[in-house]
Amino acid sequence: QVQLVESGGGLVQAGGSLRLSCAASGRTFSSAAMAWFRQALGKEREFVAVISGSGDNTYYADSVKGRFTISRDNAKNTVYLQMESLKPEDTAVYYCALTVVYWRIVRASECAYWGQGTQVTVSS
């Protein structure tokens, strides 16, 4: 059993930055990749970024590439999403999840555990 808790969301102006955290508790496998997804009101949940279990490999959605950075600290069982140059279209609830895919876009159906999400609102 794994529990994931996201934090760090909030209201920020366009062009600003924010760092999200996802803390894992319970049984966690060091080989598991960790992914970030987001879901805007009325839209499907979409992939944002993923990082391999070791932290050596990352993959980003085209919409955030160059602006967001995913990282992890396995000693703290935590994954981060550093968000920069935020745009109003980044407004969504952001979720973290465990997966085994790290070399391409991750599908939501490929994730086994999810947090409750944290709201990010970017004003223009």
Side-chain angles (χ1 to χ4, degrees):
Q1 179 78 143
V2 176
Q3 291 81 46
L4 302 174
V5 180
E6 301 93 339
S7 63
L11 176 63
V12 63
Q13 293 185 353
S17 62
L18 208 59
R19 189 181 78 160
L20 306 183
S21 298
C22 174
S25 61
R27 292 187 176 184
T28 302
F29 298 100
S30 61
S31 61
M34 296 285 290
W36 283 98
F37 286 76
R38 65 187 183 186
Q39 187 166 23
L41 185 63
K43 295 186 177 181
E44 295 183 349
R45 190 165 300 188
E46 67 172 347
F47 167 76
V48 175
V50 64
I51 186 168
S52 62
S54 67
D56 291 336
N57 301 99
T58 60
Y59 192 90
Y60 298 90
D62 289 342
S63 60
V64 306
K65 191 174 299 182
R67 298 189 299 121
F68 292 8
T69 302
I70 187 171
S71 62
R72 68 190 297 161
D73 186 338
N74 286 341
K76 297 181 179 179
N77 294 134
T78 302
V79 63
Y80 305 95
L81 185 68
Q82 180 66 43
M83 311 165 69
E84 300 177 345
S85 301
L86 284 163
K87 306 174 181 179
E89 49 263 48
D90 294 319
T91 295
V93 177
Y94 283 70
Y95 301 89
C96 62
L98 268 65
T99 186
V100 296
V101 178
Y102 62 85
W103 60 91
R104 58 163 170 80
I105 292 173
V106 182
R107 293 184 286 273
S109 60
E110 296 173 319
C111 301
Y113 299 95
W114 297 86
Q116 287 300 119
T118 185
Q119 176 71 50
V120 172
T121 302
V122 184
S123 63
S124 60

